[in-house]
PDB file of all heavy atoms in Angstrom:
ATOM      1  N   ILE C 235       7.802   4.127  14.450  1.00 97.00           N
ATOM      2  CA  ILE C 235       6.931   2.963  14.307  1.00 97.00           C
ATOM      3  C   ILE C 235       5.565   3.436  13.843  1.00 97.00           C
ATOM      4  O   ILE C 235       5.026   4.424  14.368  1.00 97.00           O
ATOM      5  CB  ILE C 235       6.814   2.187  15.630  1.00 97.00           C
ATOM      6  CG1 ILE C 235       8.132   1.470  15.944  1.00 97.00           C
ATOM      7  CG2 ILE C 235       5.675   1.172  15.577  1.00 97.00           C
ATOM      8  CD1 ILE C 235       8.136   0.722  17.260  1.00 97.00           C
ATOM      9  N   GLU C 236       4.998   2.744  12.844  1.00 97.00           N
ATOM     10  CA  GLU C 236       3.693   3.120  12.305  1.00 97.00           C
ATOM     11  C   GLU C 236       2.683   2.002  12.533  1.00 97.00           C
ATOM     12  O   GLU C 236       3.044   0.822  12.624  1.00 97.00           O
ATOM     13  CB  GLU C 236       3.797   3.413  10.812  1.00 97.00           C
ATOM     14  CG  GLU C 236       4.248   2.231   9.975  1.00 97.00           C
ATOM     15  CD  GLU C 236       4.464   2.593   8.511  1.00 97.00           C
ATOM     16  OE1 GLU C 236       4.171   3.738   8.123  1.00 97.00           O
ATOM     17  OE2 GLU C 236       4.927   1.706   7.749  1.00 97.00           O
ATOM     18  N   VAL C 237       1.392   2.396  12.621  1.00 95.00           N
ATOM     19  CA  VAL C 237       0.296   1.439  12.725  1.00 95.00           C
ATOM     20  C   VAL C 237      -0.127   1.065  11.311  1.00 95.00           C
ATOM     21  O   VAL C 237      -0.264   1.930  10.440  1.00 95.00           O
ATOM     22  CB  VAL C 237      -0.888   2.035  13.498  1.00 95.00           C
ATOM     23  CG1 VAL C 237      -2.031   1.025  13.587  1.00 95.00           C
ATOM     24  CG2 VAL C 237      -0.451   2.441  14.900  1.00 95.00           C
ATOM     25  N   VAL C 238      -0.348  -0.237  11.087  1.00 93.00           N
ATOM     26  CA  VAL C 238      -0.596  -0.736   9.744  1.00 93.00           C
ATOM     27  C   VAL C 238      -2.047  -1.184   9.577  1.00 93.00           C
ATOM     28  O   VAL C 238      -2.602  -1.877  10.440  1.00 93.00           O
ATOM     29  CB  VAL C 238       0.343  -1.929   9.433  1.00 93.00           C
ATOM     30  CG1 VAL C 238       0.119  -2.443   8.017  1.00 93.00           C
ATOM     31  CG2 VAL C 238       1.795  -1.514   9.624  1.00 93.00           C
ATOM     32  N   ASP C 239      -2.652  -0.778   8.464  1.00 87.00           N
ATOM     33  CA  ASP C 239      -3.982  -1.254   8.113  1.00 87.00           C
ATOM     34  C   ASP C 239      -3.856  -2.724   7.706  1.00 87.00           C
ATOM     35  O   ASP C 239      -3.145  -3.044   6.750  1.00 87.00           O
ATOM     36  CB  ASP C 239      -4.542  -0.442   6.950  1.00 87.00           C
ATOM     37  CG  ASP C 239      -6.002  -0.783   6.642  1.00 87.00           C
ATOM     38  OD1 ASP C 239      -6.339  -1.987   6.630  1.00 87.00           O
ATOM     39  OD2 ASP C 239      -6.786   0.145   6.417  1.00 87.00           O
ATOM     40  N   PRO C 240      -4.532  -3.642   8.415  1.00 81.00           N
ATOM     41  CA  PRO C 240      -4.348  -5.071   8.133  1.00 81.00           C
ATOM     42  C   PRO C 240      -4.892  -5.513   6.774  1.00 81.00           C
ATOM     43  O   PRO C 240      -4.546  -6.585   6.291  1.00 81.00           O
ATOM     44  CB  PRO C 240      -5.101  -5.749   9.270  1.00 81.00           C
ATOM     45  CG  PRO C 240      -6.132  -4.763   9.678  1.00 81.00           C
ATOM     46  CD  PRO C 240      -5.495  -3.415   9.502  1.00 81.00           C
ATOM     47  N   TYR C 241      -5.717  -4.675   6.149  1.00 79.00           N
ATOM     48  CA  TYR C 241      -6.328  -5.069   4.880  1.00 79.00           C
ATOM     49  C   TYR C 241      -5.614  -4.481   3.664  1.00 79.00           C
ATOM     50  O   TYR C 241      -5.571  -5.107   2.613  1.00 79.00           O
ATOM     51  CB  TYR C 241      -7.813  -4.681   4.882  1.00 79.00           C
ATOM     52  CG  TYR C 241      -8.572  -5.427   5.947  1.00 79.00           C
ATOM     53  CD1 TYR C 241      -8.706  -4.904   7.224  1.00 79.00           C
ATOM     54  CD2 TYR C 241      -9.102  -6.680   5.696  1.00 79.00           C
ATOM     55  CE1 TYR C 241      -9.365  -5.608   8.225  1.00 79.00           C
ATOM     56  CE2 TYR C 241      -9.769  -7.393   6.685  1.00 79.00           C
ATOM     57  CZ  TYR C 241      -9.889  -6.852   7.949  1.00 79.00           C
ATOM     58  OH  TYR C 241     -10.535  -7.566   8.935  1.00 79.00           O
ATOM     59  N   THR C 242      -5.061  -3.264   3.819  1.00 83.00           N
ATOM     60  CA  THR C 242      -4.356  -2.648   2.695  1.00 83.00           C
ATOM     61  C   THR C 242      -2.848  -2.712   2.845  1.00 83.00           C
ATOM     62  O   THR C 242      -2.119  -2.479   1.892  1.00 83.00           O
ATOM     63  CB  THR C 242      -4.767  -1.170   2.563  1.00 83.00           C
ATOM     64  OG1 THR C 242      -4.308  -0.447   3.720  1.00 83.00           O
ATOM     65  CG2 THR C 242      -6.286  -1.039   2.447  1.00 83.00           C
ATOM     66  N   ASN C 243      -2.387  -3.000   4.074  1.00 87.00           N
ATOM     67  CA  ASN C 243      -0.958  -3.026   4.393  1.00 87.00           C
ATOM     68  C   ASN C 243      -0.320  -1.646   4.315  1.00 87.00           C
ATOM     69  O   ASN C 243       0.905  -1.515   4.315  1.00 87.00           O
ATOM     70  CB  ASN C 243      -0.199  -4.000   3.483  1.00 87.00           C
ATOM     71  CG  ASN C 243       0.845  -4.795   4.249  1.00 87.00           C
ATOM     72  OD1 ASN C 243       0.659  -5.080   5.431  1.00 87.00           O
ATOM     73  ND2 ASN C 243       1.929  -5.153   3.585  1.00 87.00           N
ATOM     74  N   GLU C 244      -1.154  -0.608   4.247  1.00 91.00           N
ATOM     75  CA  GLU C 244      -0.652   0.763   4.233  1.00 91.00           C
ATOM     76  C   GLU C 244      -0.699   1.327   5.648  1.00 91.00           C
ATOM     77  O   GLU C 244      -1.281   0.747   6.550  1.00 91.00           O
ATOM     78  CB  GLU C 244      -1.505   1.626   3.295  1.00 91.00           C
ATOM     79  CG  GLU C 244      -1.542   1.147   1.848  1.00 91.00           C
ATOM     80  CD  GLU C 244      -0.170   1.224   1.192  1.00 91.00           C
ATOM     81  OE1 GLU C 244       0.590   2.149   1.520  1.00 91.00           O
ATOM     82  OE2 GLU C 244       0.135   0.344   0.352  1.00 91.00           O
ATOM     83  N   ARG C 245      -0.083   2.513   5.834  1.00 93.00           N
ATOM     84  CA  ARG C 245      -0.132   3.177   7.132  1.00 93.00           C
ATOM     85  C   ARG C 245      -1.584   3.534   7.451  1.00 93.00           C
ATOM     86  O   ARG C 245      -2.289   4.104   6.620  1.00 93.00           O
ATOM     87  CB  ARG C 245       0.741   4.427   7.119  1.00 93.00           C
ATOM     88  CG  ARG C 245       0.744   5.173   8.455  1.00 93.00           C
ATOM     89  CD  ARG C 245       1.620   6.419   8.408  1.00 93.00           C
ATOM     90  NE  ARG C 245       3.031   6.074   8.273  1.00 93.00           N
ATOM     91  CZ  ARG C 245       4.014   6.989   8.265  1.00 93.00           C
ATOM     92  NH1 ARG C 245       3.715   8.278   8.353  1.00 93.00           N
ATOM     93  NH2 ARG C 245       5.268   6.609   8.139  1.00 93.00           N
ATOM     94  N   LEU C 246      -2.031   3.187   8.662  1.00 89.00           N
ATOM     95  CA  LEU C 246      -3.436   3.375   9.029  1.00 89.00           C
ATOM     96  C   LEU C 246      -3.742   4.809   9.443  1.00 89.00           C
ATOM     97  O   LEU C 246      -4.799   5.350   9.112  1.00 89.00           O
ATOM     98  CB  LEU C 246      -3.810   2.410  10.160  1.00 89.00           C
ATOM     99  CG  LEU C 246      -5.272   2.432  10.618  1.00 89.00           C
ATOM    100  CD1 LEU C 246      -6.196   2.009   9.477  1.00 89.00           C
ATOM    101  CD2 LEU C 246      -5.467   1.525  11.825  1.00 89.00           C
ATOM    102  N   VAL C 247      -2.850   5.435  10.190  1.00 87.00           N
ATOM    103  CA  VAL C 247      -3.054   6.808  10.659  1.00 87.00           C
ATOM    104  C   VAL C 247      -1.835   7.644  10.290  1.00 87.00           C
ATOM    105  O   VAL C 247      -0.725   7.117  10.150  1.00 87.00           O
ATOM    106  CB  VAL C 247      -3.274   6.848  12.189  1.00 87.00           C
ATOM    107  CG1 VAL C 247      -4.586   6.189  12.555  1.00 87.00           C
ATOM    108  CG2 VAL C 247      -2.126   6.190  12.936  1.00 87.00           C
ATOM    109  N   PRO C 248      -2.011   8.944  10.107  1.00 89.00           N
ATOM    110  CA  PRO C 248      -0.891   9.786   9.667  1.00 89.00           C
ATOM    111  C   PRO C 248       0.272   9.829  10.657  1.00 89.00           C
ATOM    112  O   PRO C 248       1.437   9.875  10.260  1.00 89.00           O
ATOM    113  CB  PRO C 248      -1.525  11.173   9.504  1.00 89.00           C
ATOM    114  CG  PRO C 248      -2.999  10.928   9.406  1.00 89.00           C
ATOM    115  CD  PRO C 248      -3.268   9.709  10.217  1.00 89.00           C
ATOM    116  N   SER C 249      -0.035   9.829  11.945  1.00 89.00           N
ATOM    117  CA  SER C 249       1.017   9.989  12.949  1.00 89.00           C
ATOM    118  C   SER C 249       1.781   8.693  13.173  1.00 89.00           C
ATOM    119  O   SER C 249       1.273   7.592  12.898  1.00 89.00           O
ATOM    120  CB  SER C 249       0.414  10.459  14.271  1.00 89.00           C
ATOM    121  OG  SER C 249      -0.545   9.535  14.734  1.00 89.00           O
ATOM    122  N   THR C 250       2.995   8.816  13.680  1.00 94.00           N
ATOM    123  CA  THR C 250       3.820   7.662  14.023  1.00 94.00           C
ATOM    124  C   THR C 250       4.320   7.821  15.455  1.00 94.00           C
ATOM    125  O   THR C 250       4.169   8.878  16.069  1.00 94.00           O
ATOM    126  CB  THR C 250       5.022   7.549  13.076  1.00 94.00           C
ATOM    127  OG1 THR C 250       5.829   8.747  13.192  1.00 94.00           O
ATOM    128  CG2 THR C 250       4.579   7.361  11.634  1.00 94.00           C
ATOM    129  N   LEU C 251       4.908   6.753  15.977  1.00 95.00           N
ATOM    130  CA  LEU C 251       5.527   6.808  17.309  1.00 95.00           C
ATOM    131  C   LEU C 251       7.003   7.100  17.126  1.00 95.00           C
ATOM    132  O   LEU C 251       7.708   6.383  16.408  1.00 95.00           O
ATOM    133  CB  LEU C 251       5.335   5.485  18.040  1.00 95.00           C
ATOM    134  CG  LEU C 251       3.895   5.065  18.331  1.00 95.00           C
ATOM    135  CD1 LEU C 251       3.874   3.691  18.992  1.00 95.00           C
ATOM    136  CD2 LEU C 251       3.196   6.087  19.217  1.00 95.00           C
ATOM    137  N   GLY C 252       7.476   8.166  17.794  1.00 95.00           N
ATOM    138  CA  GLY C 252       8.873   8.549  17.686  1.00 95.00           C
ATOM    139  C   GLY C 252       9.628   8.287  18.972  1.00 95.00           C
ATOM    140  O   GLY C 252       9.105   7.653  19.902  1.00 95.00           O
ATOM    141  N   PRO C 253      10.871   8.745  19.079  1.00 95.00           N
ATOM    142  CA  PRO C 253      11.707   8.508  20.263  1.00 95.00           C
ATOM    143  C   PRO C 253      11.017   8.900  21.569  1.00 95.00           C
ATOM    144  O   PRO C 253      10.452   9.983  21.690  1.00 95.00           O
ATOM    145  CB  PRO C 253      12.933   9.378  19.991  1.00 95.00           C
ATOM    146  CG  PRO C 253      13.023   9.416  18.495  1.00 95.00           C
ATOM    147  CD  PRO C 253      11.603   9.483  18.027  1.00 95.00           C
ATOM    148  N   GLY C 254      11.039   7.968  22.523  1.00 94.00           N
ATOM    149  CA  GLY C 254      10.433   8.193  23.824  1.00 94.00           C
ATOM    150  C   GLY C 254       8.979   7.781  23.908  1.00 94.00           C
ATOM    151  O   GLY C 254       8.432   7.670  25.010  1.00 94.00           O
ATOM    152  N   GLN C 255       8.339   7.535  22.758  1.00 95.00           N
ATOM    153  CA  GLN C 255       6.943   7.101  22.759  1.00 95.00           C
ATOM    154  C   GLN C 255       6.865   5.571  22.761  1.00 95.00           C
ATOM    155  O   GLN C 255       7.832   4.895  22.410  1.00 95.00           O
ATOM    156  CB  GLN C 255       6.203   7.684  21.553  1.00 95.00           C
ATOM    157  CG  GLN C 255       6.078   9.207  21.624  1.00 95.00           C
ATOM    158  CD  GLN C 255       5.331   9.777  20.434  1.00 95.00           C
ATOM    159  OE1 GLN C 255       5.782   9.674  19.295  1.00 95.00           O
ATOM    160  NE2 GLN C 255       4.181  10.373  20.696  1.00 95.00           N
ATOM    161  N   PHE C 256       5.703   5.046  23.134  1.00 96.00           N
ATOM    162  CA  PHE C 256       5.598   3.604  23.344  1.00 96.00           C
ATOM    163  C   PHE C 256       4.369   3.024  22.658  1.00 96.00           C
ATOM    164  O   PHE C 256       3.389   3.718  22.394  1.00 96.00           O
ATOM    165  CB  PHE C 256       5.572   3.266  24.834  1.00 96.00           C
ATOM    166  CG  PHE C 256       4.536   4.017  25.624  1.00 96.00           C
ATOM    167  CD1 PHE C 256       3.257   3.501  25.810  1.00 96.00           C
ATOM    168  CD2 PHE C 256       4.845   5.247  26.207  1.00 96.00           C
ATOM    169  CE1 PHE C 256       2.309   4.193  26.536  1.00 96.00           C
ATOM    170  CE2 PHE C 256       3.892   5.943  26.938  1.00 96.00           C
ATOM    171  CZ  PHE C 256       2.619   5.423  27.105  1.00 96.00           C
ATOM    172  N   MET C 257       4.440   1.728  22.382  1.00 96.00           N
ATOM    173  CA  MET C 257       3.341   0.994  21.767  1.00 96.00           C
ATOM    174  C   MET C 257       2.363   0.501  22.836  1.00 96.00           C
ATOM    175  O   MET C 257       2.671   0.519  24.016  1.00 96.00           O
ATOM    176  CB  MET C 257       3.875  -0.222  20.991  1.00 96.00           C
ATOM    177  CG  MET C 257       4.627   0.127  19.731  1.00 96.00           C
ATOM    178  SD  MET C 257       5.502  -1.305  19.018  1.00 96.00           S
ATOM    179  CE  MET C 257       4.355  -2.659  19.290  1.00 96.00           C
ATOM    180  N   GLY C 258       1.212   0.006  22.360  1.00 93.00           N
ATOM    181  CA  GLY C 258       0.306  -0.703  23.252  1.00 93.00           C
ATOM    182  C   GLY C 258      -0.932   0.070  23.647  1.00 93.00           C
ATOM    183  O   GLY C 258      -1.053   1.275  23.427  1.00 93.00           O
ATOM    184  N   GLU C 259      -1.876  -0.665  24.219  1.00 92.00           N
ATOM    185  CA  GLU C 259      -3.100  -0.090  24.790  1.00 92.00           C
ATOM    186  C   GLU C 259      -3.547  -0.978  25.939  1.00 92.00           C
ATOM    187  O   GLU C 259      -2.772  -1.817  26.405  1.00 92.00           O
ATOM    188  CB  GLU C 259      -4.172   0.119  23.719  1.00 92.00           C
ATOM    189  CG  GLU C 259      -4.508  -1.095  22.890  1.00 92.00           C
ATOM    190  CD  GLU C 259      -5.682  -1.881  23.443  1.00 92.00           C
ATOM    191  OE1 GLU C 259      -6.682  -1.296  23.881  1.00 92.00           O
ATOM    192  OE2 GLU C 259      -5.596  -3.108  23.442  1.00 92.00           O
ATOM    193  N   LEU C 260      -4.770  -0.796  26.428  1.00 93.00           N
ATOM    194  CA  LEU C 260      -5.186  -1.420  27.674  1.00 93.00           C
ATOM    195  C   LEU C 260      -5.078  -2.936  27.700  1.00 93.00           C
ATOM    196  O   LEU C 260      -4.936  -3.521  28.776  1.00 93.00           O
ATOM    197  CB  LEU C 260      -6.624  -1.010  28.004  1.00 93.00           C
ATOM    198  CG  LEU C 260      -6.804   0.439  28.467  1.00 93.00           C
ATOM    199  CD1 LEU C 260      -8.289   0.752  28.619  1.00 93.00           C
ATOM    200  CD2 LEU C 260      -6.071   0.689  29.779  1.00 93.00           C
ATOM    201  N   SER C 261      -5.142  -3.586  26.546  1.00 92.00           N
ATOM    202  CA  SER C 261      -5.038  -5.049  26.526  1.00 92.00           C
ATOM    203  C   SER C 261      -3.715  -5.530  27.099  1.00 92.00           C
ATOM    204  O   SER C 261      -3.614  -6.678  27.552  1.00 92.00           O
ATOM    205  CB  SER C 261      -5.196  -5.568  25.087  1.00 92.00           C
ATOM    206  OG  SER C 261      -6.495  -5.313  24.611  1.00 92.00           O
ATOM    207  N   PHE C 262      -2.716  -4.676  27.096  1.00 94.00           N
ATOM    208  CA  PHE C 262      -1.416  -5.034  27.673  1.00 94.00           C
ATOM    209  C   PHE C 262      -1.563  -5.400  29.143  1.00 94.00           C
ATOM    210  O   PHE C 262      -0.908  -6.324  29.640  1.00 94.00           O
ATOM    211  CB  PHE C 262      -0.448  -3.857  27.515  1.00 94.00           C
ATOM    212  CG  PHE C 262       0.886  -4.053  28.187  1.00 94.00           C
ATOM    213  CD1 PHE C 262       1.890  -4.785  27.570  1.00 94.00           C
ATOM    214  CD2 PHE C 262       1.143  -3.504  29.440  1.00 94.00           C
ATOM    215  CE1 PHE C 262       3.119  -4.965  28.195  1.00 94.00           C
ATOM    216  CE2 PHE C 262       2.359  -3.681  30.069  1.00 94.00           C
ATOM    217  CZ  PHE C 262       3.355  -4.418  29.438  1.00 94.00           C
ATOM    218  N   LEU C 263      -2.428  -4.682  29.865  1.00 92.00           N
ATOM    219  CA  LEU C 263      -2.587  -4.914  31.298  1.00 92.00           C
ATOM    220  C   LEU C 263      -3.158  -6.292  31.586  1.00 92.00           C
ATOM    221  O   LEU C 263      -2.872  -6.888  32.618  1.00 92.00           O
ATOM    222  CB  LEU C 263      -3.494  -3.843  31.908  1.00 92.00           C
ATOM    223  CG  LEU C 263      -3.054  -2.387  31.751  1.00 92.00           C
ATOM    224  CD1 LEU C 263      -4.083  -1.465  32.378  1.00 92.00           C
ATOM    225  CD2 LEU C 263      -1.676  -2.160  32.374  1.00 92.00           C
ATOM    226  N   ASN C 264      -3.991  -6.798  30.673  1.00 88.00           N
ATOM    227  CA  ASN C 264      -4.653  -8.084  30.887  1.00 88.00           C
ATOM    228  C   ASN C 264      -4.018  -9.209  30.072  1.00 88.00           C
ATOM    229  O   ASN C 264      -4.618 -10.263  29.888  1.00 88.00           O
ATOM    230  CB  ASN C 264      -6.143  -7.969  30.517  1.00 88.00           C
ATOM    231  CG  ASN C 264      -6.991  -9.044  31.174  1.00 88.00           C
ATOM    232  OD1 ASN C 264      -6.813  -9.360  32.348  1.00 88.00           O
ATOM    233  ND2 ASN C 264      -7.920  -9.611  30.415  1.00 88.00           N
ATOM    234  N   ALA C 265      -2.786  -8.960  29.587  1.00 88.00           N
ATOM    235  CA  ALA C 265      -2.066  -9.963  28.793  1.00 88.00           C
ATOM    236  C   ALA C 265      -2.880 -10.404  27.578  1.00 88.00           C
ATOM    237  O   ALA C 265      -2.976 -11.584  27.273  1.00 88.00           O
ATOM    238  CB  ALA C 265      -1.692 -11.173  29.653  1.00 88.00           C
ATOM    239  N   GLY C 266      -3.464  -9.420  26.888  1.00 90.00           N
ATOM    240  CA  GLY C 266      -4.255  -9.703  25.700  1.00 90.00           C
ATOM    241  C   GLY C 266      -3.397  -9.883  24.467  1.00 90.00           C
ATOM    242  O   GLY C 266      -2.193 -10.167  24.547  1.00 90.00           O
ATOM    243  N   SER C 267      -4.027  -9.703  23.297  1.00 91.00           N
ATOM    244  CA  SER C 267      -3.346  -9.885  22.026  1.00 91.00           C
ATOM    245  C   SER C 267      -3.384  -8.602  21.207  1.00 91.00           C
ATOM    246  O   SER C 267      -4.234  -7.737  21.423  1.00 91.00           O
ATOM    247  CB  SER C 267      -4.002 -11.019  21.223  1.00 91.00           C
ATOM    248  OG  SER C 267      -3.966 -12.232  21.944  1.00 91.00           O
ATOM    249  N   VAL C 268      -2.488  -8.511  20.255  1.00 92.00           N
ATOM    250  CA  VAL C 268      -2.400  -7.348  19.368  1.00 92.00           C
ATOM    251  C   VAL C 268      -3.584  -7.346  18.407  1.00 92.00           C
ATOM    252  O   VAL C 268      -3.902  -8.366  17.790  1.00 92.00           O
ATOM    253  CB  VAL C 268      -1.076  -7.381  18.575  1.00 92.00           C
ATOM    254  CG1 VAL C 268      -1.040  -6.255  17.534  1.00 92.00           C
ATOM    255  CG2 VAL C 268       0.113  -7.282  19.522  1.00 92.00           C
ATOM    256  N   THR C 269      -4.266  -6.199  18.279  1.00 89.00           N
ATOM    257  CA  THR C 269      -5.371  -6.087  17.320  1.00 89.00           C
ATOM    258  C   THR C 269      -5.054  -5.108  16.201  1.00 89.00           C
ATOM    259  O   THR C 269      -5.825  -4.999  15.246  1.00 89.00           O
ATOM    260  CB  THR C 269      -6.661  -5.640  18.013  1.00 89.00           C
ATOM    261  OG1 THR C 269      -6.446  -4.398  18.688  1.00 89.00           O
ATOM    262  CG2 THR C 269      -7.125  -6.690  19.017  1.00 89.00           C
ATOM    263  N   LEU C 270      -3.947  -4.380  16.300  1.00 91.00           N
ATOM    264  CA  LEU C 270      -3.492  -3.511  15.225  1.00 91.00           C
ATOM    265  C   LEU C 270      -1.992  -3.733  15.037  1.00 91.00           C
ATOM    266  O   LEU C 270      -1.212  -3.538  15.979  1.00 91.00           O
ATOM    267  CB  LEU C 270      -3.764  -2.036  15.543  1.00 91.00           C
ATOM    268  CG  LEU C 270      -5.219  -1.570  15.403  1.00 91.00           C
ATOM    269  CD1 LEU C 270      -5.364  -0.126  15.880  1.00 91.00           C
ATOM    270  CD2 LEU C 270      -5.702  -1.690  13.969  1.00 91.00           C
ATOM    271  N   ALA C 271      -1.607  -4.139  13.854  1.00 93.00           N
ATOM    272  CA  ALA C 271      -0.194  -4.433  13.583  1.00 93.00           C
ATOM    273  C   ALA C 271       0.621  -3.155  13.538  1.00 93.00           C
ATOM    274  O   ALA C 271       0.122  -2.076  13.199  1.00 93.00           O
ATOM    275  CB  ALA C 271      -0.075  -5.184  12.266  1.00 93.00           C
ATOM    276  N   THR C 272       1.907  -3.271  13.871  1.00 96.00           N
ATOM    277  CA  THR C 272       2.837  -2.138  13.812  1.00 96.00           C
ATOM    278  C   THR C 272       4.127  -2.575  13.127  1.00 96.00           C
ATOM    279  O   THR C 272       4.520  -3.749  13.193  1.00 96.00           O
ATOM    280  CB  THR C 272       3.169  -1.623  15.228  1.00 96.00           C
ATOM    281  OG1 THR C 272       3.619  -2.724  16.036  1.00 96.00           O
ATOM    282  CG2 THR C 272       1.971  -0.978  15.885  1.00 96.00           C
ATOM    283  N   ARG C 273       4.788  -1.623  12.487  1.00 97.00           N
ATOM    284  CA  ARG C 273       6.062  -1.925  11.835  1.00 97.00           C
ATOM    285  C   ARG C 273       6.959  -0.706  11.868  1.00 97.00           C
ATOM    286  O   ARG C 273       6.500   0.431  12.109  1.00 97.00           O
ATOM    287  CB  ARG C 273       5.841  -2.375  10.388  1.00 97.00           C
ATOM    288  CG  ARG C 273       5.369  -1.289   9.458  1.00 97.00           C
ATOM    289  CD  ARG C 273       5.077  -1.825   8.072  1.00 97.00           C
ATOM    290  NE  ARG C 273       4.416  -0.790   7.264  1.00 97.00           N
ATOM    291  CZ  ARG C 273       3.639  -1.051   6.231  1.00 97.00           C
ATOM    292  NH1 ARG C 273       3.406  -2.310   5.858  1.00 97.00           N
ATOM    293  NH2 ARG C 273       3.088  -0.064   5.554  1.00 97.00           N
TER     294      ARG C 273
END
């Protein structure tokens, strides 16, 4: 899974999430919203 630049639709950072790794950040704890798209 890769993080997507919302303006260029390209990969935002070189690294990706592989097997065993997980999405999300602190907003998950407070039932927030996604601020960086992933695909």
Side-chain angles (χ1 to χ4, degrees):
I235 289 178
E236 62 185 355
V237 180
V238 181
D239 187 316
Y241 296 90
T242 66
N243 221 31
E244 301 296 326
R245 180 180 292 183
L246 183 63
V247 293
S249 59
T250 60
L251 298 177
Q255 294 181 296
F256 53 91
M257 289 169 38
E259 53 93 42
L260 288 174
S261 294
F262 174 82
L263 302 178
N264 201 42
S267 301
V268 174
T269 57
L270 285 174
T272 53
R273 70 184 171 204

